[in-house]
Amino acid sequence: MPTTRRTPMSVHAMTSRRFSMASLGTLVVATVITGFLAVPAHAATPQQEIAATATAENGNGPCAHGGYDSGLSQNSSCDGYGGQSHAWCADFVGWVWARHNVAGLGMLTDAAASFYRYGEKYGTKSNTPHVGDAVVYGYSNGWAQHVALVTSVKDGVVTITGGNQGHSQHSEGIVSTNSTTQYAVGSAPWGQRISAYISPKFQKAEPPKVTLQGLPGTSVTGVASLSSSVTAGTYDIATVEYYLDGEKIATRSTAPYGYSFDTSRVPDGKHTLSVEVTDTMGNTGGDRQQIITSNGDSGSTFNADFNGDGRSDVGVLYDYGQTADGTNHTALWTYLSTGTGFASPVKVWDNIDSGTGSWNWDRSKVTSGDFNGDGKTDVGVLYNNGRQQDGTNRTTLWTFTSTGTGFNKPVKVWDNADAGSGSWNWNRSKVTSGDFNGDGKDDVGVLYNNGQQQDGANRTTLWTFTSTGSGFGNPLRRWDNTETEVKSWNWDRSKVTSGDFNGDGKSDVGVLYDNGRQQDGANRTTLWTFTSTGSGFGNPLRRWDNTET
């Protein structure tokens, strides 16, 4: 028997979010298991093939093969959230299953808990480990800590192979293999309670195929009329299901399987839209597309005192589309308040007229504030410069300084690439402004989506760019739900604003939060505030709840 090696388990969900497997019980075999996958005299079963694929990845990190990606509702393990570590245990298991003709992959997401739900849907959840099973750890109330694969069951010893666990000299999260005799549901051989074993549902015949149709391109606004082109395999088509980020949004049973996808009902930003076809025997096929929804929830219409007369005016960042040469045409208009109404709109900036080059409205999130402290409100734009060749996301912050009668050309006041701030994902940013430190100059705040953690909890952070009067300092993280008693905070369900809510001269942050539909069918919404301390923010406090009024 190989020498036992103990790898301490340390779950760093707040920082690197790696998942290390350790021996808190009986560790029988570690890292490399010899002999249990010897080629049998007969052909390998699909379950044995899953095990062989998984163990062949031992020692690999998240970017092996360009990233573990199942191709439907999971993101690539190599695609981190805004430079943060990406919890990729579920991506690894989905990637392995997808290579062995497993049905129903559309419902599997980056969350380990999605495998538990898979077992419930297909009736494959059990207390008994089988080779090829997904083993789910720490499942509770829709969340799970970890998921890995059973790669051997022999003589009372169960061997587990998983991604984003273990460590090496050069990696904080790799594929590793460990064995244990403590494999009963409820046991915790590595400090994580085993919740269930989930067997994959294999295709029984030639599966159907589907192609997603109706999207105008990667950038989508308004209502998209989707349809699906399907081809039957051995059996007839039963249903076509649409998923957004792994959540089912529609089921259709008749051709052309049309669905009107209202993009205004989801947050602006990057999403995975997938479609899965199922035949009468449960075999499935799928297709997906990465999209960016843009419906102006970034605040392309806003109000502020642009001319410093003490009355709030209205500003509009307007999209003219593309010119004949492909240049994006955007303009800034203001409606100045007269006290009893508004003057006719005036165009105060136009990227074509001012020779500012191409400016893409779809890539602009607008905010406003008196950034230089002169008593007149300026305009700020967080701009999406896309993904660079090295895979990092580039985002820039621009300001249009008010002259009282108009605005100066935009000036780039921050660039994450130039500032050494790492990758910054515009799609995961919601922007607001306020004088958070009470120095008389407005700062910029960003509520940032760090995605789901290994245990399924949503991580959200609050950052501020402090105004210097002539520019902005690098962003500082002022709040992180994973570092507080707030277990999960869903960015997708948050609408952010700011204001001096307690009258102490410092701007606070407010979030209107969607708590979803209750059992009685009523929608629940709550209002939370983060009170500024001058150097940061207190934990959010719930100030209003429609179910309590």
Side-chain angles (χ1 to χ4, degrees):
M1 183 174 71
T3 302
T4 298
R5 184 185 71 181
R6 295 181 181 273
T7 307
M9 169 172 278
S10 178
V11 181
H12 297 288
M14 315 312 173
T15 53
S16 66
R17 279 179 279 168
R18 70 188 181 209
F19 227 94
S20 301
M21 295 190 72
S23 174
L24 298 181
T26 303
L27 181 63
V28 177
V29 185
T31 308
V32 179
I33 310 301
T34 59
F36 77 90
L37 282 178
V39 177
H42 53 80
T45 66
Q47 291 86 349
Q48 290 171 329
E49 291 175 350
I50 286 177
T53 298
T55 55
E57 300 298 307
N58 271 320
N60 283 340
C63 293
H65 314 287
Y68 295 108
D69 190 338
S70 76
L72 276 181
S73 295
Q74 292 179 311
N75 291 302
S76 168
S77 58
C78 198
D79 181 16
Y81 295 140
Q84 306 295 320
S85 176
H86 176 67
W88 52 279
C89 66
D91 298 325
F92 174 73
V93 177
W95 179 86
V96 174
W97 273 11
R99 273 148 183 74
H100 295 284
N101 210 22
V102 173
L105 298 179
M107 68 178 300
L108 298 180
T109 70
D110 297 336
S114 66
F115 286 83
Y116 194 94
R117 293 190 290 270
Y118 180 99
E120 291 180 322
K121 176 178 178 178
Y122 289 105
T124 62
K125 178 170 70 73
S126 76
N127 295 334
T128 304
H130 312 87
V131 172
D133 282 3
V135 51
V136 178
Y137 297 86
Y139 180 84
S140 177
N141 296 323
W143 295 331
Q145 292 178 305
H146 187 51
V147 63
L149 285 164
V150 177
T151 47
S152 176
V153 180
K154 185 176 181 181
D155 299 331
V157 177
V158 172
T159 302
I160 305 296
T161 301
N164 201 27
Q165 61 186 31
H167 68 280
S168 70
Q169 183 179 359
H170 304 291
S171 176
E172 289 191 339
I174 60 173
V175 179
S176 65
T177 294
N178 297 272
S179 296
T180 182
T181 57
Q182 295 182 322
Y183 58 83
V185 168
S187 298
W190 297 291
Q192 300 157 320
R193 176 182 54 82
I194 296 174
S195 298
Y197 294 96
I198 311 299
S199 297
K201 178 179 173 61
F202 293 103
Q203 311 277 24
K204 297 179 180 179
E206 181 184 353
K209 298 178 181 179
V210 61
T211 301
L212 178 62
Q213 297 178 330
L215 287 171
T218 302
S219 182
V220 186
T221 61
V223 177
S225 298
L226 304 179
S227 61
S228 295
S229 175
V230 301
T231 302
T234 304
Y235 300 101
D236 292 337
I237 302 299
T239 60
V240 169
E241 296 177 324
Y242 293 92
Y243 292 84
L244 186 71
D245 300 327
E247 295 292 330
K248 186 166 65 174
I249 55 176
T251 301
R252 297 291 183 267
S253 56
T254 56
Y257 309 101
Y259 171 57
S260 295
F261 174 39
D262 184 358
T263 64
S264 68
R265 298 179 64 86
V266 302
D268 281 359
K270 180 181 176 182
H271 298 279
T272 300
L273 181 65
S274 55
V275 61
E276 188 169 71
V277 58
T278 304
D279 67 21
T280 54
M281 293 298 292
N283 303 296
T284 64
D287 189 22
R288 77 164 180 185
Q289 185 169 333
Q290 297 282 353
I291 62 173
I292 297 174
T293 57
S294 180
N295 291 288
D297 76 359
S298 55
S300 54
T301 300
F302 47 97
N303 64 81
D305 183 8
F306 300 126
N307 58 4
D309 65 356
R311 297 188 293 264
S312 291
D313 313 304
V314 174
V316 176
L317 193 70
Y318 192 85
D319 178 25
Y320 286 93
Q322 286 190 329
T323 61
D325 63 0
T327 300
N328 294 296
H329 186 187
T330 300
L332 178 61
W333 293 76
T334 59
Y335 298 73
L336 297 181
S337 172
T338 63
T340 57
F342 290 89
S344 296
V346 175
K347 186 166 66 173
V348 292
W349 173 80
D350 185 310
N351 67 299
I352 302 296
D353 297 341
S354 63
T356 313
S358 183
W359 190 284
N360 194 330
W361 180 89
D362 286 340
R363 293 176 175 264
S364 304
K365 295 188 178 182
V366 187
T367 189
S368 59
D370 183 6
F371 301 130
N372 58 5
D374 67 354
K376 300 182 291 291
T377 302
D378 313 303
V379 173
V381 173
L382 197 69
Y383 194 86
N384 179 17
N385 292 87
R387 181 163 292 185
Q388 310 305 288
Q389 289 184 342
D390 63 359
T392 60
N393 298 295
R394 185 182 180 194
T395 299
T396 49
L397 178 62
W398 298 74
T399 57
F400 300 71
T401 302
S402 173
T403 63
T405 57
F407 289 86
N408 293 320
K409 289 183 179 181
V411 175
K412 185 171 68 174
V413 292
W414 176 77
D415 184 320
N416 67 299
D418 296 342
S421 300
S423 183
W424 189 283
N425 195 329
W426 179 91
N427 292 321
R428 295 183 173 269
S429 304
K430 292 182 179 180
V431 64
T432 188
S433 294
D435 183 6
F436 302 127
N437 59 4
D439 67 354
K441 301 181 292 289
D442 283 337
D443 315 301
V444 171
V446 172
L447 195 69
Y448 194 87
N449 177 16
N450 292 87
Q452 281 193 327
Q453 310 306 286
Q454 196 93 39
D455 62 359
N458 298 293
R459 184 184 180 196
T460 298
T461 49
L462 177 61
W463 299 72
T464 60
F465 300 72
T466 301
S467 172
T468 63
S470 58
F472 291 86
N474 278 336
L476 296 174
R477 190 176 64 189
R478 304 295 192 179
W479 177 79
D480 186 325
N481 71 292
T482 64
E483 296 174 357
T484 70
E485 68 273 13
V486 183
K487 179 174 177 60
S488 182
W489 189 283
N490 194 328
W491 180 91
D492 288 339
R493 293 175 176 266
S494 304
K495 292 185 182 292
V496 64
T497 188
S498 58
D500 183 5
F501 302 131
N502 60 3
D504 66 354
K506 299 182 292 288
S507 292
D508 313 303
V509 171
V511 171
L512 196 67
Y513 194 88
D514 174 19
N515 292 86
R517 182 163 292 184
Q518 309 306 288
Q519 289 185 342
D520 62 359
N523 296 296
R524 185 184 179 197
T525 300
T526 50
L527 177 62
W528 299 73
T529 59
F530 300 72
T531 301
S532 172
T533 63
S535 58
F537 293 88
N539 279 334
L541 297 173
R542 190 176 64 189
R543 305 294 190 177
W544 175 79
D545 186 323
N546 70 300
T547 64
E548 297 175 357
T549 59

